[in-house]
């Protein structure tokens, strides 16, 4: 699995992943993960394409990261990772 940590500017402020996904033409479903209690976890998919990009926000640790499992990689993901990273770090760009 490949993982990208994205620094959060404001403590305990969840990135607007659903809006970011919509801006990029991606579909987002939301859930949580047992191993990170209290987190919010999204699966991002590009309509008509293979692959899943995952985003996780864990407020207790003030962490936000993106990840791709080896069997879910696709050519659209690197650009999506860069765009999400830029919009989280520089929200004025959105």
């Amino acid at each position: 699995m490949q993982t990208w940590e994205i620094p959060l500017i404001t403590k305990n402020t969840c990135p607007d992943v659903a809006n970011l996904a919509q801006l990029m033409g991606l579909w987002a479903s939301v859930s949580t993960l047992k191993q990170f209690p209290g987190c919010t976890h999204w699966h991002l998919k590009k309509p008509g394409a293979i692959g899943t990009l995952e985003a996780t926000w864990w407020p207790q640790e003030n962490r936000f990261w993106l990840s791709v499992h080896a069997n879910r990689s696709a050519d659209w993901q690197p650009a999506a990772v860069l765009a999400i990273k830029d919009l989280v770090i520089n929200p004025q760009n959105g």
Side-chain angles (χ1 to χ4, degrees):
M1 176 166 40
Q2 191 169 9
T3 303
W4 300 267
E5 288 280 340
I6 300 180
L8 295 173
I9 295 170
T10 307
K11 188 169 177 69
N12 293 327
T13 300
C14 181
D16 191 353
V17 174
N19 187 49
L20 297 176
Q22 185 178 23
L23 288 171
M24 294 183 292
L26 303 176
W27 176 80
S29 63
V30 65
S31 62
T32 190
L33 297 171
K34 287 183 184 179
Q35 63 266 44
F36 304 109
C39 80
T40 304
H41 180 75
W42 297 265
H43 282 188
L44 307 174
K45 298 183 178 204
K46 184 173 183 177
I50 64 167
T52 302
L53 175 62
E54 298 183 27
T56 307
W57 176 59
W58 194 15
Q60 289 85 334
E61 298 294 325
N62 198 43
R63 283 183 65 199
F64 179 71
W65 67 94
L66 302 171
S67 58
V68 174
H69 290 271
N71 62 339
R72 295 181 180 168
S73 64
D75 61 355
W76 59 268
Q77 294 163 334
V81 167
L82 291 175
I84 292 170
K85 183 177 181 179
D86 184 51
L87 287 170
V88 170
I89 294 172
N90 303 301
Q92 70 277 6
N93 291 345

